[in-house]
């Protein structure tokens, strides 16, 4: 079972069938994990287990989405990595998302499925065919999750042709694309001056709606100028913007391998190649 399947199985075994029933402390308690909120230094959450009981200590936050994610993350460690203790920096999903630790990523995936189980998430997204941040933040509010975690879950369920990316002025921090979006589309390392993200990042100009944009503002591919995408962005903490790209043009989804983009992560057979100098 994958970490996501583990989490979905927990939800199913508890018979949870509505968003309101996603009480993460109760779910943890049922699994033998007592949740304690206590100021921690140097980390956001810890897990200490003895036998079949464990205590998850969570740094209190005024932001409930963060606390919930931390609890679900520790429960992920308890379910997937029993027998070990953890000190985690689960203060923001994006930090772990860019973390290289496999166990942290597994706990994050578990948390994301536990807090947004597939069936309930699909239900919440019913009727959404061209997603925007307003809709995503409504969904995030319902599930009490962060906007970033919710956007990443949207990518994970792979129902819509979306790419989520985080940029700062220093460049691309991380990205995630729905599985059915071809890996040939290669994001630029820094935000393009023509993008709405640039306006937000450098001029503080809000990007209230999903707007049409030439694909060559986003992708390095030489044929990108033949296509249009939809773009919206929001500011995250500090000097970062979260970008949502919606690939409405089905031709972009059937475009073949592009050998012209440099420093690729995938070869023409779709095999993963270790990235060089780029995450
Ligand atoms: Zn962890």
């Amino acid at each position: 079972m994958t970490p996501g399947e583990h989490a979905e199985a927990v939800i199913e075994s508890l018979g949870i069938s509505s968003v309101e029933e996603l009480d993460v402390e109760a779910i943890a308690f049922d699994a033998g994990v007592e949740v304690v909120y206590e100021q921690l230094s140097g980390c956001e959450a810890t897990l200490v287990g003895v036998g079949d009981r464990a205590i998850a200590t969570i740094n209190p936050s005024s932001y409930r989405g963060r606390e919930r994610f931390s609890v679900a993350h520790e429960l992920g460690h308890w379910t997937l990595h029993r027998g070990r203790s953890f000190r985690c920096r689960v203060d923001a999903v994006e930090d772990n998302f860019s973390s290289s630790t496999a166990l942290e990523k597994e706990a994050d995936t578990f948390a994301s499925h536990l807090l947004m189980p597939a069936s309930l998430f699909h239900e919440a997204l019913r009727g959404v065919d061209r997603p925007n941040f307003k809709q995503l933040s409504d969904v995030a509010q319902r599930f009490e999750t962060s906007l970033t975690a919710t956007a990443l879950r949207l990518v994970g369920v792979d129902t819509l042709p979306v790419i989520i990316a985080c940029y700062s002025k220093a460049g691309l921090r991380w990205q995630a694309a729905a599985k059915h979006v071809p890996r040939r589309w290669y994001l630029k390392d820094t935000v393009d001056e023509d993008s709405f993200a640039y306006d937000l990042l450098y001029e503080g100009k809000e990007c209230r709606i999903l707007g049409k944009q030439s694909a060559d503002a986003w992708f390095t591919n030489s044929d990108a100028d033949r296509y249009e995408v939809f773009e919206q962005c929001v500011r995250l903490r500090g000097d970062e913007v979260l970008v949502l790209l919606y690939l409405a043009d089905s031709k972009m989804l059937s475009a073949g391998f592009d050998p012209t983009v440099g420093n690729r992560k995938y070869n023409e057979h779709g095999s993963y190649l270790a990235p060089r100098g780029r995450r």
Side-chain angles (χ1 to χ4, degrees), residues 130-142:
R130 190 169 290 182
N132 58 51
F133 278 126
K134 167 74 177 73
Q135 291 161 334
L136 285 180
S137 55
D138 288 348
V139 173
Q141 208 165 3
R142 266 200 78 195

Side-chain angles (χ1 to χ4, degrees), residues 9 69 136 157 185 191 202 210 242 257:
F69 198 88
L136 285 180
V157 295
W185 294 111
V191 287
Y202 289 89
L210 191 69
L242 186 66
F257 176 67

